[in-house]
Amino acid sequence: MLEIMMFTDPMMGLSYESEPYLRQLETHFGRQIHFQPIMAGLVRSVYDFVDPQDLAIGKAYAIKQYLPKLMAIYNAEQNISGMPIAMTDLRLFSEEQPSSLPLNLAYKAVQAIAPEKAAPFLYRLRFATIAEQRPTTQLPELERVAKQCGIAPSDFRQSYHSPQTQTLLAQDFAEKERLHIHRLPAYVFRYQNQTACYQGVLTDHEFFPIIAQISQGKIRPQTPALSKTALLALIDKHPLISPIEVQYAFALPDTQALLPYLQQFFAQNIIRKINVPNGWFVEKVT
């Protein structure tokens, strides 16, 4: 089995835009690959990124001036895979919440109490931050996302404030330092006694050759056929997903071939449509 360690932050637009490539790896390699997200703390302090001249005027002023610049960065990242981004009202940082560390800690809190729900939680947290533009550095928002994943807010809150969870997050940060990761996202591939590290966005055009090289051709992809059964299985695994991810999962040239299946699922109340600025997602009805 090939292990892929993914160094990221729930707020990262680059990781959000990489989701279609991850869906493709999942469907094409199946159980031959295991993904392990590692929290890397992208913004330890927003004041490290603001204009020093703005900061001299005041913290609130500096953040207010910085947020439009950050929104422009997010919006430009949509060109990577087409995952919808249209930032107009980003409220991620404030004087009270000047860091993305709450999002990182929230992931570790869920991982500690419900490991099987960590991946969907990370996805929904990224969706809430980027697609919905919600203030996910705030604890009530984190609890809301945890509840969407079937975790009681009280259980989440207890884990979030636990010293053990802080230790788990510190271990992720220490791993990042140990491997000299200085650019996010970053991927560490481990296969038998082989290890390779790549820093920056990887598309399907990079992932497949890397996997072939590090496994010496032993791990091979198999393109799945699009069918009602296969699509339902993908939605069961990813109860919130964009049509672009589904397109990549089945190696389709565009999303048009999906529409007859999705329309049938809408009519049967299997899924619902969630519109977001510049695009849409489907969510499994529970």
Side-chain angles (χ1 to χ4, degrees), residues 262-281:
L262 296 181
Q263 291 297 337
Q264 182 179 358
F265 295 163
F266 286 135
Q268 295 173 340
N269 200 35
I270 296 172
I271 59 173
R272 65 169 66 92
K273 185 176 183 180
I274 299 180
N275 291 306
V276 298
N278 229 24
W280 53 284
F281 288 71

Side-chain angles (χ1 to χ4, degrees), residues 109-110 112-114 117 143 146 150-162 165:
V110 171
I113 59 175
K117 296 179 179 179
E143 292 176 351
I151 300 170
S154 58
D155 293 339
F156 170 80
R157 197 179 310 117
Q158 182 177 1
S159 183
Y160 181 83
H161 291 296
S162 167
T165 301

Side-chain angles (χ1 to χ4, degrees), residues 48-75:
D48 294 334
F49 297 88
V50 303
D51 189 316
Q53 295 182 350
D54 292 338
L55 188 57
I57 296 173
K59 291 182 177 180
Y61 178 79
I63 293 174
K64 183 178 180 181
Q65 297 302 116
Y66 172 69
L67 287 178
K69 299 175 184 178
L70 182 56
M71 285 190 289
I73 293 172
Y74 273 120
N75 290 335

